[in-house]
Amino acid sequence: MKLIDAGPTRRREMRFSGHPISPGIGIGPVYEAAEPVLNFQHKKIAAADIAAETARLEDAISLSRKQLIKLKTKLASLPAQSQTEIDPLIDAYLHMLGNSRLIRGARLRISDSLLAPEAAVMDEAETQAEAILALTGSDKVGRQRRAEEVREIARRVLRNLTRLPFRNFTELKPGTILAAESLRPADAALIQPTNFAGIITAEGGADGHTAVMLRALGLPAVLGATGVLEAARPGMLAIIDGEAGEIILNPTARSLAAAQAKLAARARSLRALARLQKAPAETTDHVAVDLQANLELPFEVPMIAESGAHGIGLLRSEFIFMNRETLPDEDTQTQIYRDIIEAMDGDPVTIRVLDWGSDKEVEALADYTPDTAEANPALGLRGIRLLLRHPDLFEAQLAAILRASVAGRVRIMLPMVGFRSEIIAAWEIYDRVWRRLKRRNVRMMETRPPLGIMIETPAAALSARHLAKHADFFAIGTNDLTMYTLAADRSLPVGSKLYDPLEPTILRLIYETVVAAAAAKIPVSLCGELASRPEATPLLFGLGIRQFSMHGLAVPRVKRAIRAVSSKYCLQLAARALEAPDADTVRALLAQT
Ligand code: PEP
Ligand code: MG
């Protein structure tokens, strides 16, 4: 949804809420990220293809309608005043996606002028927009708005006809609040954090991969704020509170002063937290925990040491493969891993092999993805399942990690394991690569780096005691574990209440995994987003977690949380939470801490 310049900025303050993604206050003018270059060819089609091409157009129209209807349903949760402003706009869009002049014209351009649907819809929209602008009369602003609406709806159809690679953020001025309907994880990876005051999107959930990437950027961000894009105008002043999940458009002087006071308070609290950097991470009765950092993007490396984390507990290697046209070869990968391992200066680094599939799209891997579209990509080929189908890719990554391992202490981790056979197959490949490099006298870490697995499917958690016989360590991924156990997408919008890692079901699976790891005497860590929530730290400790991995910025708060409680208290808390009937009861227990 493009921010439409409707003339003079309205003065009224408007408030929206969404998922609080990463704390901080951002104040600045709001602009939407430039649309990706609409890269379609002005193609002609053969007469024999008219039916098929028209069907493609109809599919894109029906997808566009679905997207808008979904948006309209979500609007119901907004204050009445905001609804009255936005509802008519969505209705106008939906009308244009019906049997409107735009759609009829586009269909005719396919059947009569033999134009491909992309060109048909864009040409028709342009003709109509120009006709609207050429009308005479006093309401010039209204005509401009209508013309832009026609173009906007055509762009939506076009976006649904062509899968566009990624967005371009370079045109936005520094200090801007970036607004977007949705961002893919690959889009987020392109954001240069120093250029923005904050990020808001209309779609996206709290633990989705985009949220994970944005947290890594450390920018105040609010995702899934329904209605905000429809209400915002380019350049409108906005305040975003990434901790409360609140967005204020056109703030009053009073709201602005309150935000500035919060900014100052936050700066004080960050200074206090920074003093904890060297303090031990231990309970009041001196039981120590390991706090490590998750790494999504290389620029985070210097922040890790500053945060007081010791090592990287989850290096999501996806970033190495994203936003490029060709795959990184073994040498390129080796260099990237090596640089990170060296920068960690002897602290351990756990590198997770490529976890792609589902919402983590990797353009360069388009030829590797399943031949048939999957109805439920999150339930299809993903993570280790895909790697085992493409041993060439898997072997190159393992070889690169092993070659880089000479620079420090490395562990290798497999994503999305669900079956024992997957670890066994992965070990065979790992053995082969290790032996090959040894034969060639390649220098590597002296002892072979441990090979462990993520526990992020209910299948893995429930069979942890069997899997433990084949894994050197476990890392619990609560994001996917929650999604798969509760059958609730991790990107669900605010208020859906379906996706909730504090459900006792999830706590029991964590506990089962810890018990299985202890019986097999292998280490277990927790690296899902739950690890970065200080309110959950005593509970996780009580469930037996002693190693936490989280985005670097969360480390000081989690450290403060662990230093405030005794291990006895944590054990009692966990025992009660495991018996709790639902997540609200668990939350109430946590609130008593
Ligand atoms: C998880 O699922 O909890 C996890 C850490 O992996 P990712 O978020 O990368 O899917
Ligand atoms: Mg995962």
Side-chain angles (χ1 to χ4, degrees), residues 31-363:
Y31 283 102
E32 196 183 11
E35 284 288 321
V37 181
L38 297 180
N39 210 358
F40 72 97
Q41 283 171 0
H42 212 264
K43 269 199 318 209
K44 286 269 188 185
I45 57 165
D49 294 335
I50 292 176
E53 294 292 327
T54 307
R56 221 157 58 72
L57 174 70
E58 302 303 338
D59 283 350
I61 293 169
S62 107
L63 183 56
S64 307
R65 282 185 66 81
K66 276 191 201 139
Q67 289 161 347
L68 288 168
I69 289 168
K70 194 169 134 202
L71 182 62
K72 203 169 151 64
T73 331
K74 286 205 273 167
L75 284 178
S77 60
L78 284 185
Q81 199 175 41
S82 310
Q83 282 186 42
T84 14
E85 276 193 29
I86 300 159
D87 239 28
L89 183 62
I90 310 263
D91 286 340
Y93 284 143
L94 282 170
H95 173 75
M96 277 190 274
L97 286 169
N99 195 23
S100 67
R101 271 182 52 211
L102 173 68
I103 301 303
R104 288 198 309 272
R107 284 185 192 128
L108 275 180
R109 282 174 196 258
I110 299 176
S111 58
D112 295 6
S113 314
L114 296 181
L115 270 185
E118 289 85 352
V121 74
M122 291 306 277
D123 283 5
E124 183 61 29
E126 202 42 47
T127 309
Q128 290 191 17
E130 276 166 19
I132 294 170
L133 291 173
L135 293 172
T136 48
S138 58
D139 187 12
K140 188 162 169 226
V141 172
R143 285 200 305 279
Q144 280 170 340
R145 191 173 53 228
R146 266 173 32 236
E148 186 48 40
E149 284 170 8
V150 173
R151 289 181 175 130
E152 166 60 14
I153 208 68
R155 279 195 293 266
R156 180 180 284 273
V157 175
L158 181 63
R159 268 206 301 272
N160 287 324
L161 278 164
T162 56
R163 299 272 303 155
L164 294 165
F166 51 80
R167 289 164 190 265
N168 175 10
F169 300 115
T170 51
E171 285 158 21
L172 296 177
K173 290 195 206 79
T176 294
I177 291 190
L178 171 69
E181 184 164 8
S182 66
L183 286 175
R184 299 178 315 149
D187 294 327
L190 291 171
I191 291 173
Q192 175 56 258
T194 47
N195 280 353
F196 296 101
I199 313 264
I200 48 187
T201 69
E203 289 181 1
D207 285 354
H209 290 114
T210 301
V212 167
M213 296 295 264
L214 291 179
R215 260 179 218 127
L217 298 176
L219 280 170
V222 176
L223 297 193
T226 306
V228 70
L229 291 191
E230 289 73 11
R233 302 287 175 266
M236 195 180 247
L237 189 64
I239 299 174
I240 77 171
D241 181 337
E243 188 145 25
E246 194 178 67
I247 300 163
I248 309 179
L249 295 177
N250 258 342
T252 58
R254 201 179 160 152
S255 302
L256 211 51
Q260 261 138 6
K262 271 197 204 165
L263 257 177
R266 182 172 154 73
R268 283 195 298 278
S269 130
L270 287 179
R271 280 197 296 276
L273 282 171
R275 287 197 282 278
L276 282 183
Q277 192 211 21
K278 298 244 175 336
E282 57 180 28
T283 54
T284 50
D285 51 333
H286 309 296
V287 182
V289 295
D290 254 1
L291 301 184
Q292 300 192 324
N294 292 351
L295 185 107
E296 285 73 36
L297 295 165
F299 74 79
E300 295 171 84
V301 171
M303 272 160 40
I304 294 178
E306 281 165 32
S307 73
H310 294 289
I312 298 175
L314 166 64
L315 187 155
R316 290 181 163 101
S317 63
E318 290 80 65
F319 73 85
I320 298 170
F321 296 81
M322 281 174 175
N323 294 315
R324 36 184 304 148
E325 283 175 11
T326 53
L327 287 175
D329 62 15
E330 189 183 307
D331 287 348
T332 313
Q333 288 192 56
T334 305
Q335 193 55 50
I336 297 172
Y337 302 132
R338 206 188 160 111
D339 287 347
I340 297 173
I341 298 164
E342 266 168 9
M344 293 314 294
D345 205 17
D347 278 346
V349 179
T350 301
I351 302 178
R352 185 177 69 186
V353 288
L354 181 62
D355 179 22
W356 105 96
S358 190
D359 66 337
K360 291 179 187 164
E361 292 167 56
V362 178
E363 276 93 26

Side-chain angles (χ1 to χ4, degrees), residues 379-401:
L379 300 181
L381 291 178
R382 227 198 109 169
I384 190 66
R385 302 173 180 184
L386 268 171
L387 286 178
L388 290 175
R389 290 201 169 206
H390 300 288
D392 51 334
L393 202 69
F394 191 22
E395 286 190 19
Q397 190 173 20
L398 289 172
I401 299 172

